[in-house]
Amino acid sequence: MGPYYNGLWLDNLGCGSSRHAVCADVRGSDVTFIIVTKALTWTQAQSYCRDNHTDLASVRNMAENQKVLVKIAGLDYVWIGLFRDSWKWSDGSNSSFSFWKTRQPDDNNETCVAADFSQSGAWEDWPCDMERAFICYGPVVTTSKKVLKVKFENKNNVDLNDPAVMEAMLKQLKQKLRAQGLDHNIKLSWRKQADGKVFHKEDKKTNKRRRKREEL
């Protein structure tokens, strides 16, 4: 879409026609408009603005529209960032991103889209009854790590840093936590300290001193 010299907008310009464009540089709440005097199609103008500035100009109020009008200084039609996209994503999500091949979409009867990965995944419109391989996606899985400090009473003087002992202890912990509702997909592991060991013998003298300080 583009404004004429009087600042009014028109939607009857073909997106493939070459026009000047208005880009925007956005710095926080400050917006600066830049006129591009090189004639470009709408998609070329969008790419140019995104490569060299922030994006094609978004006109959010009459004051900004007046700023654009001053910038075009008597030029006729210029591209701004507003566009109408009739293509919708299957999951109902909204996106202005597009990656059409040159001269695509090219047929109003071809209402589904395929990505050609021999050309970097560029899009083509196809009849929906065509049989093609397809890509599904599921919910995004987020991962996080939590570190917990545990204390064991070692009555039998077992070497707790023995890999076999650590593995057996880990299995017991998993069973107890799952019995309390822990997600089965959550993984548990021991964390080694700087010296390469997981467990260290508690210094009872140091702990007694700490308790005395707390009591004082």
Side-chain angles (χ1 to χ4, degrees):
M1 183 172 290
Y4 196 43
Y5 65 88
N6 58 4
L8 299 176
W9 300 354
L10 298 172
D11 66 349
N12 62 350
L13 302 177
C15 292
S17 61
S18 295
R19 303 286 177 182
H20 301 311
V22 180
C23 300
D25 277 327
V26 181
R27 300 288 183 272
S29 59
D30 296 328
V31 181
T32 303
F33 296 111
I34 302 96
I35 186 71
V36 179
T37 56
K38 181 180 179 181
L40 301 169
T41 65
W42 191 92
T43 52
Q44 289 173 340
Q46 183 190 53
S47 297
Y48 178 90
C49 291
R50 288 179 175 179
D51 289 342
N52 297 279
H53 303 282
T54 301
D55 208 331
L56 267 171
S58 293
V59 183
R60 298 169 295 182
N61 50 52
M62 188 57 72
E64 289 188 347
N65 199 61
Q66 187 62 30
K67 288 181 180 179
V68 171
L69 184 58
V70 170
K71 285 289 181 181
I72 65 177
L75 293 172
D76 53 5
Y77 302 102
V78 295
W79 294 127
I80 57 175
L82 188 64
F83 71 101
R84 180 173 58 199
D85 189 353
S86 61
W87 296 91
K88 302 296 181 185
W89 290 102
S90 176
D91 65 358
S93 59
N94 295 320
S95 175
S96 61
F97 171 75
S98 63
F99 192 35
W100 294 105
K101 284 185 178 180
T102 304
R103 291 183 290 278
Q104 293 284 328
D106 62 357
D107 192 328
N108 291 331
N109 294 322
E110 296 175 347
T111 55
C112 290
V113 178
D116 183 357
F117 285 98
S118 68
Q119 294 191 25
S120 304
W123 302 350
E124 291 185 32
D125 57 335
W126 282 87
C128 294
D129 58 359
M130 293 287 291
E131 293 184 353
R132 297 287 180 189
F134 53 90
I135 301 172
C136 300
Y137 81 99
V140 177
V141 178
T142 57
T143 59
S144 62
K145 290 184 179 180
K146 291 185 178 180
V147 179
L148 300 176
K149 189 175 182 180
V150 293
K151 181 179 178 181
F152 293 101
E153 188 175 353
N154 190 3
K155 293 181 178 180
N156 298 323
N157 292 322
V158 177
D159 181 7
L160 297 182
N161 286 299
D162 183 326
V165 174
M166 288 195 294
E167 182 63 25
M169 293 168 66
L170 206 59
K171 286 182 179 179
Q172 290 181 11
L173 281 172
K174 286 180 181 179
Q175 289 173 355
K176 289 183 178 181
L177 291 171
R178 286 172 179 172
Q180 296 177 18
L182 180 72
D183 190 331
H184 283 226
N185 294 320
I186 292 177
K187 296 181 180 180
L188 301 179
S189 62
W190 298 118
R191 184 176 184 181
K192 291 183 179 180
Q193 305 300 313
D195 60 359
K197 293 182 179 181
V198 172
F199 294 102
H200 293 83
K201 190 173 182 179
E202 184 178 64
D203 189 340
K204 294 183 179 180
K205 291 182 180 179
T206 302
N207 285 342
K208 285 180 180 178
R209 292 194 195 108
R210 287 175 181 169
R211 290 194 191 101
K212 285 181 180 179
R213 286 172 186 166
E214 288 173 359
E215 289 171 1
L216 293 173

